Amino acid sequence: LLEKMADVSLKEAALIVGVVAACYWNSLFCGFVFDDVSAILDNKDLHPSTPLKNLFQNDFWGTPMSEERSHKSYRPLTVLTFRLNYLFSELNAVSYHFLNLVFHVVVCVVFLKVCKLFLDNRSSVVASLLFAVHPIHTEAVTGVVGRAELLSSIFFLAAFLSYTKSKGPDNTIVWTPIAVTVFLVAVATLCKEQGITVVGICCVYEVFIAQGYTLPVLFDTAVQILRGKGSIPFSMLQTLLKLIVLMFSTLLLVVVRVQVIQSQLPVFTRFDNPAAVSPSPARQLTFNYLLPVNAWLLLNPSELCCDWTMGTIPLVESLLDVRNIATLTFFCFLGSLIVFSLRYPGDSSKTVLMALCLIVLPFIPASNLFFPVGFVVAERVLYVPSMGFCILVAHGWKKLSSKSVLRKISWVCLAAVLFTHALKTLHRNWDWESEYTLFMSALKVNKNNAKLWNNVGHALENEKNFERALQFFIQATQVQPDDIGAHMNVGRTYKNLNKTKEAEESYMIAKSLMPQIIPGKKYAARVAPNHLNVYINLANLIRANESRLEEADQLYRQAISMRPDFKQAYISRGELLLKMNKPLKAKEAYLRALELDRTNADLWYNLAIVYIELKDPTEALKNFNRALELNPTHKLALFNSALLMQESGDARLRPEAKQRLLHYVKEEPQDANGYFNLGMLAMDDKKDAEAEAWMKKAIRLQPNFRSALFNLALLYSQTGKELIALPVLEDLLRYYPDHTKGLILKGDILMNQKKDIVGAKKCFEKILELDPNNVQGKHNLCVVYFEERDLIKAEKCLVETLALAPHEEYIQRHLNIVRSKIASLSATEQASLPADGTSAAEEKKKPFQNLKEVKKEHKPTPTAVDNNKGHSENKKRTEKNNIGKETPKKSTKEIKDIEKKRVAALKRLEEIERILNGE
């Protein structure tokens, strides 16, 4: 390639680099927008953990080529460059845009070399500069997915340049350049499919440029041969041989390509390309009208739009439609150029011919004329055709500037075109800064495309601006009333605004628009798989109502009956069946989904949740581990598997549990739950200082973290820092005034450490206000009465407490002590305890031996997220994990053991079920 660019001077290359940099510098400040989201952000093929072979098994968007939803766009080499970007900068958009800019510079320089084959030096530079600044290229250069065009173009032009070297002295064949050409064609095709069209350009070049034939000469030769008056010239035989080699290699590439897509064309809907499903003559008239539309975009790129689908260009349904005049004019002009270039010899006709080849042949795959594509008009596919356009313009400018009368005006016009195009390109780049700016700029050009209204809504939805998003989604339904996706978007937004009635109405409208099943016809071929998510979304909405669970299940089953391979339906149904307390059926649903996709980490995670419900922690842990094998950063699997290990009580599993929690907090540094559970592990391991640090970090992130506050106070009380625990308990009770265990612990510290009987009494009275039958609170209040020397009240209180818990031996024993005290006082008028060797201080401790244990807090566990592109919603479910029951400790006679028993009881943890709602 460097040898072929040898005659491009350094000045010319520097000029091109400078112009491209001036036009596209601001593209470096743009993010990932539109198709970039699917190709970059959502594409697992970019991740180093994905095997390289997947790049050659999946399409451009990371979908396996064997799946029906695949777009069949096979561009593994382009994805490989994305992967290299990811390797160096992960998802930093600047590096992706910078590489696109570099590739555009390379294309411009190689294109300059191609121009010099057919134009003089000055005209070649003009053509290359016009190509460098043309605004139509912003989608290909500033849009990251446009890299497919850039890479394919580099190898496309390199293949052509290589072929121009295949003619040796005396018209001999030089085979090495031909072999290189075939190789470069294959590489170009692996970057983007249109790369294969360079073979057609090479054929035209060979016949009409290299050999110098014209159409009349070829016709006369063919007539002579058919009449038997002559034989095929040797030079023509050589030309035929070269063409046969080229065509045979092309055929091989086509066969391989067909094998890759498994002989299936991608499935598009009428929303993607309305004309493709229209009857004759509307289909033919519309497709032909699109040709002058594309030509006009090259001539006048003033109104550019990122999406031309749906109702952007109304169908041409009649021969009387005035737009047919544009089609007729276009074909007349094109036909006259073809006749001129093929009929007449000379350099001018050769230049026009090659320009036409560059315009027409690369555009054929996107023209809809031979097979339907998933768009109406796409500016990025004009990247290569614009090369031919630029050659035509430069050639025309050369003709004008050669006339002395028009020389000055031709230079002024050229300068004006280059300057205005450069400004337009610079301005257009800012439109690609974000999805909101991109789609709003598109709406200025085209207000009849429901997809644009939807996409602005999605951009606002991502910013949590649901009210404004709803306005755009509703507008989309008005522009295209039969757009299922738009009604789904309206429903989802209503749900986000907690307007469930309106959400259900919108989903029902979307459901009513679904095509009915035709017996004997495959349903999947008639509807976008994304649209089946209306059943999922509607079911997810109504299952919030406990009385409608069966109705929701019916919707899931309906979706499955339409598409037995609809994985998300099984996932969502599994969640519902768990909610309906049918774990065995949920297990069946997840196993069926795993038959469809065994590489989905979310599915293995969900199955682990089922096994937890089935009380099988061993199998649950195995499935958590399987999820982590597939996705080592699966956050919920890391968190919940660590909790499962911790709950097992097996000290050997604690180090691994700790590692998983550390990995989790690395992935989710703002989630206090991770730090809290690290603190609990440290408490289990008797690492008090470490436990304190983790608990404090959890509280810093979430000041009202109930379990963290209580357990930190508990930790302080166990380590002789009761007075430090007191302000922590104050914080806990400020957020949760009804926290019974917090009140008990606070009362304990006030009574035993601060000797604040009044404060302790308030704590225990508060407990009884919340729960008059709380045995612990009532018993401890009895002790307070005893401390206040109100023995009659203490006796009455203990009698009432014993009635609540007649089997509690320590209450009966304390009642006996109080009665003994009353009897003693009546005899001796003293306030000392009975002569059983038990001191008052020790008795103070007894009431608190029965403090209940506090259980660990569990994080909610959302199930797999629906990864279908389009209007589907994310599904989540919550898990209830019980880690044992609270059981009171019995009292002992040994006074020295009382405090130890209390500490042991306090050591256990509080259970809080935290339910995550939402999708």
Side-chain angles (χ1 to χ4, degrees):
L1 187 59
L2 291 172
E3 287 179 5
K4 299 180 190 312
M5 291 163 47
D7 57 350
V8 174
S9 71
L10 193 59
K11 266 188 193 175
E12 292 167 340
L15 176 63
I16 289 171
V17 170
V19 168
V20 171
C23 289
Y24 285 99
W25 63 269
N26 57 338
S27 69
L28 299 178
F29 299 97
C30 298
F32 294 117
V33 297
F34 203 16
D35 289 339
D36 297 347
V37 176
S38 300
I40 308 296
L41 300 183
D42 298 339
N43 192 346
K44 292 181 180 178
D45 287 348
L46 271 64
H47 302 168
S49 58
T50 303
L52 271 174
K53 66 177 183 179
N54 283 25
L55 272 65
F56 296 89
Q57 295 172 348
N58 299 342
D59 67 13
F60 189 50
W61 317 98
T63 306
M65 294 292 288
S66 57
E67 291 191 13
E68 179 192 334
R69 62 191 177 96
S70 169
H71 283 208
K72 311 301 181 187
S73 44
Y74 188 64
R75 303 161 192 172
L77 296 185
T78 303
V79 179
L80 183 60
T81 66
F82 292 151
R83 185 166 171 139
L84 290 173
N85 270 121
Y86 188 91
L87 187 65
F88 288 105
S89 64
E90 292 194 351
L91 295 176
N92 181 2
V94 174
S95 73
Y96 293 80
H97 288 294
F98 179 75
L99 199 54
N100 271 24
L101 194 151
V102 170
F103 286 144
H104 183 52
V105 168
V106 174
V107 173
C108 292
V109 173
V110 181
F111 176 58
L112 175 58
K113 168 58 185 168
V114 171
C115 290
K116 290 187 175 187
L117 297 175
F118 313 109
L119 296 168
D120 61 32
N121 203 55
R122 180 181 291 171
S123 302
S124 297
V125 172
V126 168
S128 186
L129 288 176
L130 182 58
F131 179 79
V133 304
H134 204 296
I136 202 73
H137 299 153
T138 49
E139 184 171 343
V141 181
T142 310
V144 177
V145 295
R147 186 177 299 177
E149 319 291 334
L150 306 175
L151 282 173
S152 181
S153 298
I154 291 172
F155 295 108
F156 179 102
L157 294 174
F160 177 69
L161 286 171
S162 177
Y163 187 80
T164 61
K165 305 294 184 182
S166 65
K167 181 180 177 182
D170 301 324
N171 208 23
T172 56
I173 301 174
V174 183
W175 289 106
T176 301
I178 295 176
V180 172
T181 296
V182 172
F183 171 76
L184 291 172
V185 169
V187 173
T189 306
L190 290 174
C191 295
K192 192 178 181 185
E193 297 77 3
Q194 70 181 26
I196 202 169
T197 59
V198 72
V199 173
I201 295 173
C202 290
C203 291
V204 173
Y205 173 83
E206 177 64 32
V207 175
F208 296 99
I209 310 299
Q211 301 302 326
Y213 296 121
T214 60
L215 206 56
V217 171
L218 289 175
F219 182 77
D220 291 341
T221 304
V223 170
Q224 293 295 326
I225 292 169
L226 289 174
R227 289 180 178 177
K229 294 184 178 180
S231 59
I232 301 176
F234 180 72
S235 61
M236 192 171 285
L237 285 173
Q238 285 187 308
T239 300
L240 281 173
L241 180 60
K242 290 170 75 173
L243 296 184
I244 288 169
V245 170
L246 273 181
M247 297 307 295
F248 181 73
S249 60
T250 304
L251 186 61
L252 275 178
L253 286 174
V254 171
V255 169
V256 171
R257 184 68 175 81
V258 170
Q259 287 296 315
V260 166
I261 66 171
Q262 301 185 358
S263 303
Q264 293 179 340
L265 286 174
V267 178
F268 298 114
T269 69
R270 59 192 176 87
F271 299 110
D272 298 316
N273 190 348
V277 294
S278 300
S280 298
R283 180 169 66 255
Q284 290 78 13
L285 290 174
T286 303
F287 283 157
N288 281 288
Y289 171 67
L290 294 179
L291 300 177
V293 169
N294 281 281
W296 181 248
L297 286 174
L298 289 173
L299 279 168
N300 180 29
S302 58
E303 294 188 336
L304 300 177
C305 181
C306 62
D307 193 303
W308 296 79
T309 55
M310 290 191 158
T312 304
I313 299 176
L315 297 174
V316 182
E317 298 180 293
S318 167
L319 289 170
L320 300 177
D321 193 310
V322 70
R323 290 174 292 174
N324 289 318
I325 297 173
T327 306
L328 191 62
T329 304
F330 171 79
F331 277 109
C332 287
F333 181 70
L334 182 66
S336 62
L337 288 177
I338 291 172
V339 169
F340 168 76
S341 60
L342 292 178
R343 186 170 183 179
Y344 302 105
D347 291 339
S348 182
S349 60
K350 290 178 180 179
T351 302
V352 172
L353 177 62
M354 292 312 299
L356 289 175
C357 285
L358 281 168
I359 293 172
V360 174
L361 295 179
F363 186 73
I364 285 175
S367 66
N368 281 292
L369 296 178
F370 297 97
F371 49 82
V373 293
F375 53 83
V376 179
V377 172
E379 292 164 13
R380 62 178 176 268
V381 303
L382 293 173
Y383 189 77
V384 177
S386 68
M387 294 178 184
F389 171 78
C390 292
I391 290 175
L392 275 182
V393 172
H395 183 58
W397 173 82
K398 175 190 171 185
K399 295 286 186 185
L400 290 173
S401 62
S402 63
K403 302 181 184 298
S404 57
V405 180
L406 301 174
R407 183 172 298 157
K408 284 186 179 180
I409 195 169
S410 66
W411 276 100
V412 170
C413 289
L414 175 65
V417 167
L418 290 175
F419 182 71
T420 54
H421 275 39
L423 278 183
K424 173 65 178 177
T425 298
L426 191 66
H427 182 263
R428 174 66 174 157
N429 288 333
W430 289 122
D431 291 342
W432 290 79
E433 184 178 12
S434 68
E435 296 215 313
Y436 179 77
T437 56
L438 178 64
F439 298 125
M440 285 300 290
S441 71
L443 281 176
K444 293 174 185 175
V445 176
N446 170 30
K447 291 181 169 57
N448 296 321
N449 185 341
K451 191 174 177 181
L452 293 175
W453 293 99
N454 279 321
N455 284 332
V456 175
H458 284 309
L460 291 167
E461 188 180 33
N462 291 336
E463 297 172 0
K464 308 299 181 186
N465 192 343
F466 298 121
E467 292 285 357
R468 279 198 69 203
L470 182 61
Q471 297 172 12
F472 283 90
F473 289 141
I474 290 174
Q475 183 63 36
T477 63
Q478 294 171 354
V479 170
Q480 188 92 31
D482 59 349
D483 181 6
I484 297 170
H487 290 287
M488 289 170 66
N489 291 337
V490 172
R492 185 181 63 255
T493 310
Y494 273 131
K495 185 181 179 186
N496 288 332
L497 292 169
N498 295 317
K499 297 181 179 180
T500 53
K501 182 182 177 183
E502 292 88 344
E504 184 173 349
E505 289 173 357
S506 297
Y507 283 141
M508 291 301 293
I509 294 171
K511 183 171 173 281
S512 69
L513 292 170
M514 295 287 286
Q516 300 302 309
I517 298 175
I518 299 174
K521 185 162 184 181
K522 195 177 179 184
Y523 189 87
R526 300 175 50 247
V527 64
N530 292 342
H531 289 167
L532 280 173
N533 281 303
V534 66
Y535 294 96
I536 308 298
N537 297 350
L538 181 56
N540 288 345
L541 180 71
I542 66 175
R543 78 183 196 187
N545 184 339
E546 294 289 337
S547 65
R548 301 181 71 183
L549 298 183
E550 289 293 342
E551 187 181 345
D553 190 34
Q554 177 62 33
L555 286 165
Y556 292 136
R557 283 184 278 134
Q558 190 174 353
I560 290 169
S561 69
M562 291 177 174
R563 282 183 65 98
D565 62 344
F566 191 20
K567 179 177 63 180
Q568 188 57 41
Y570 293 105
I571 294 173
S572 299
R573 186 166 185 246
E575 301 167 26
L576 177 66
L577 290 168
L578 274 177
K579 187 175 183 180
M580 295 169 73
N581 199 25
K582 297 179 180 179
L584 289 174
K585 286 190 175 181
K587 178 181 171 184
E588 290 176 13
Y590 287 133
L591 289 174
R592 178 72 183 93
L594 281 168
E595 289 175 15
L596 299 171
D597 183 6
R598 298 190 67 81
T599 62
N600 189 323
D602 292 327
L603 282 175
W604 292 103
Y605 170 81
N606 287 0
L607 193 56
I609 301 303
V610 172
Y611 280 115
I612 287 175
E613 294 293 328
L614 292 171
K615 313 299 181 189
D616 190 345
T618 304
E619 280 300 315
L621 190 56
K622 285 181 183 177
N623 285 281
F624 279 139
N625 291 341
R626 187 63 186 271
L628 290 169
E629 286 172 15
L630 292 167
N631 181 6
T633 61
H634 195 294
K635 289 177 280 195
L636 289 169
L638 285 168
F639 185 91
N640 286 286
S641 63
L643 290 191
L644 205 57
M645 290 175 178
Q646 188 178 358
E647 292 156 17
S648 70
D650 188 345
R652 294 170 299 177
L653 294 177
R654 284 181 196 160
E656 178 61 22
K658 183 177 180 180
Q659 288 304 311
R660 293 190 182 187
L661 285 172
L662 287 171
H663 195 166
Y664 175 79
V665 297
K666 183 180 178 182
E667 295 292 326
E668 285 286 346
Q670 298 304 310
D671 186 1
N673 290 286
Y675 301 105
F676 167 73
N677 283 284
L678 280 166
M680 300 312 299
L681 269 176
M683 287 179 74
D684 289 341
D685 289 333
K686 314 295 184 187
K687 297 177 180 177
D688 298 334
E690 185 181 330
E692 180 184 355
W694 289 124
M695 292 294 181
K696 284 182 174 179
K697 190 155 189 175
I699 293 167
R700 277 199 299 272
L701 288 170
Q702 187 180 329
N704 65 340
F705 197 152
R706 177 178 171 135
S707 296
L709 287 165
F710 180 81
N711 282 285
L712 180 59
L714 187 59
L715 179 65
Y716 285 141
S717 73
Q718 291 172 358
T719 53
K721 301 176 182 176
E722 287 89 347
L723 296 181
I724 301 177
L726 210 51
V728 179
L729 286 169
E730 295 287 355
D731 288 341
L732 171 68
L733 294 170
R734 186 172 69 253
Y735 290 116
Y736 308 101
D738 58 347
H739 195 290
T740 304
K741 298 176 184 65
L743 288 166
I744 290 175
L745 184 56
K746 181 182 177 184
D748 180 15
I749 294 172
L750 289 174
M751 179 175 286
N752 290 306
Q753 301 300 321
K754 298 201 73 175
K755 312 302 179 184
D756 182 358
I757 304 299
V758 176
K761 184 177 182 180
K762 288 179 181 178
C763 290
F764 302 137
E765 286 176 341
K766 175 71 173 177
I767 293 169
L768 294 179
E769 285 177 20
L770 298 168
D771 179 10
N773 295 323
N774 187 290
V775 175
Q776 289 174 267
K778 195 166 184 67
H779 173 267
N780 293 350
L781 185 59
C782 300
V783 176
V784 170
Y785 293 150
F786 181 83
E787 290 294 323
E788 291 176 337
R789 301 295 188 267
D790 192 341
L791 299 181
I792 302 301
K793 203 169 185 179
E795 180 189 23
K796 181 183 177 183
C797 177
L798 284 168
V799 169
E800 292 172 356
T801 307
L802 189 61
L804 293 174
H807 302 295
E808 292 291 352
E809 178 268 340
Y810 73 92
I811 300 175
Q812 180 64 59
R813 188 163 58 83
H814 288 184
L815 178 59
N816 293 338
I817 291 173
V818 171
R819 284 174 174 171
S820 174
K821 191 73 171 175
I822 293 171
S824 174
L825 279 175
S826 64
T828 65
E829 297 296 324
Q830 296 180 26
S832 59
L833 281 172
D836 61 354
T838 306
S839 68
E842 289 166 343
E843 274 302 326
K844 290 176 191 176
K845 296 179 181 179
K846 287 184 181 180
F848 309 105
Q849 64 179 305
N850 196 36
L851 184 57
K852 296 289 178 66
E853 302 166 358
V854 184
K855 300 178 185 175
K856 297 177 188 175
E857 174 168 323
H858 265 242
K859 186 173 175 63
T861 55
T863 61
V865 172
D866 174 20
N867 290 321
N868 288 333
K869 303 180 190 76
H871 316 288
S872 62
E873 299 177 349
N874 290 346
K875 275 67 69 179
K876 295 185 179 180
R877 68 170 289 274
T878 57
E879 170 203 353
K880 298 178 181 179
N881 286 328
N882 295 319
I883 316 172
K885 304 295 180 184
E886 295 181 349
T887 55
K889 291 280 181 181
K890 298 295 181 183
S891 63
T892 65
K893 294 181 180 179
E894 294 80 12
I895 297 171
K896 290 182 180 180
D897 290 341
I898 292 175
E899 182 65 17
K900 293 180 181 178
K901 291 287 184 182
R902 180 184 68 81
V903 171
L906 286 173
K907 178 64 180 70
R908 285 167 40 202
L909 310 169
E910 179 179 26
E911 174 184 28
I912 297 175
E913 291 178 1
R914 301 180 63 200
I915 307 301
L916 252 190
N917 292 320
E919 298 186 342

